[in-house]
Amino acid sequence: CKSFPETLIFQLLGLSIATLSTVTHYGLRFTLISNISLDSNAYRVIHHTAFYFGICLSMTLILAALLSSAATVRESQCLTAMGFFCFALAFCGLIPAACWRYTHSTEVEDSMMDVYDFVYEEVRRNTSSFRRHELTAIHEAFLCCGKHSPFGDTTNVENKTCPPGQVRDEGQDCLQEIQDFLKKHMDFVFSLLGIAIGFTVYGMILTSFLWFSIHFSSNLCRKGKYILR
């Protein structure tokens, strides 16, 4: 008997989700904003929740693929049922995640820009030299410089916190840069969630078919003894 050819696809999908979760959690830009954000800001909670959710989801998909492959080889109803359960568990996690992304499409962007606004205003009011170092780190990470302010007194802040090249070339507005960066990233995350949902449903159908095949002794590989009379 051969295992599902889709097993490798599910494993690659799980590894892709784990890689994306790790990059999102430990990436310089995400980590920097998470460390700076206040407890009242929602970004830090979203940052950690997304990482643990992604790792658990990837492990579930990989486990489901391995169980389905082993069930096909051994023709085991128990392993098949466990594989189906893992796919169903992943599906139950993916649907709320996709719905949350759709209904809270700007929450991540807003919380991240709120962090920048807070640090920027703290530096503008000269209340903390430590915040000046944080703002400089943000400018260097996002390759941007300052923001358009209704107060019109941002030049002094930008001269102190922006890289020399960014100040001279009138670098990109940081709020716009953060928004553009996160929009591209979240669109990629949403696309990966959609692909994962599709393959998870496909995996549930395959494991169901395998379970019924084994149950009714219509196995994919014929085996048995033939008696000549």
Side-chain angles (χ1 to χ4, degrees):
C1 244
K2 295 182 179 179
S3 60
F4 289 149
E6 291 81 4
T7 299
L8 181 60
I9 297 178
F10 286 115
Q11 291 177 343
L12 291 176
L13 182 61
L15 290 175
S16 299
I17 295 175
T19 302
L20 180 62
S21 301
T22 303
V23 170
T24 302
H25 189 263
Y26 293 104
L28 174 61
R29 296 178 175 184
F30 297 103
T31 304
L32 181 62
I33 297 297
S34 178
N35 292 337
I36 296 175
S37 64
L38 302 176
D39 293 336
S40 57
N41 190 286
Y43 178 76
R44 186 176 297 178
V45 176
I46 298 173
H47 182 74
H48 292 291
T49 302
F51 172 71
Y52 293 116
F53 172 80
I55 295 299
C56 292
L57 177 61
S58 64
M59 292 176 62
T60 303
L61 288 174
I62 293 174
L63 179 60
L66 294 176
L67 288 172
S68 300
S69 179
T72 307
V73 174
R74 298 187 179 184
E75 299 181 356
S76 170
Q77 287 182 273
C78 180
L79 292 177
T80 305
M82 292 173 63
F84 178 85
F85 174 77
C86 288
F87 280 122
L89 187 64
F91 180 79
C92 291
L94 285 166
I95 293 299
C99 292
W100 184 91
R101 170 57 187 147
Y102 181 77
T103 57
H104 299 75
S105 58
T106 62
E107 184 168 340
V108 180
E109 292 92 332
D110 291 343
S111 61
M112 205 168 186
M113 289 189 291
D114 286 343
V115 174
Y116 179 81
D117 269 331
F118 170 76
V119 177
Y120 188 93
E121 293 303 320
E122 288 287 303
V123 174
R124 191 182 64 82
R125 291 193 294 264
N126 293 319
T127 58
S128 174
S129 60
F130 180 71
R131 293 298 182 187
R132 189 177 300 115
H133 293 294
E134 293 178 339
L135 186 61
T136 301
I138 294 175
H139 288 161
E140 292 176 350
F142 284 91
L143 299 178
C144 59
C145 182
K147 67 173 184 177
H148 299 296
S149 173
F151 298 103
D153 57 349
T154 62
T155 305
N156 188 41
V157 176
E158 295 171 357
N159 288 334
K160 291 181 179 179
T161 60
C162 293
Q166 294 287 336
V167 176
R168 183 174 57 255
D169 300 334
E170 297 183 355
Q172 174 75 25
D173 176 79
C174 279
L175 292 179
Q176 186 63 45
E177 182 67 19
I178 292 173
Q179 187 177 30
D180 293 343
F181 166 75
L182 276 178
K183 185 178 185 304
K184 294 177 182 178
H185 185 81
M186 296 305 292
D187 286 345
F188 182 76
V189 170
F190 191 71
S191 299
L192 189 59
L193 284 175
I195 294 173
I197 290 174
F199 275 103
T200 300
V201 173
Y202 184 53
M204 293 169 64
I205 295 174
L206 285 177
T207 49
S208 299
F209 172 76
L210 178 61
W211 189 90
F212 282 108
S213 297
I214 296 173
H215 181 72
F216 293 109
S217 299
S218 329
N219 299 327
L220 298 177
C221 292
R222 293 173 176 263
K223 64 179 182 178
K225 296 181 180 179
Y226 296 86
I227 301 176
L228 296 177
R229 295 184 178 178

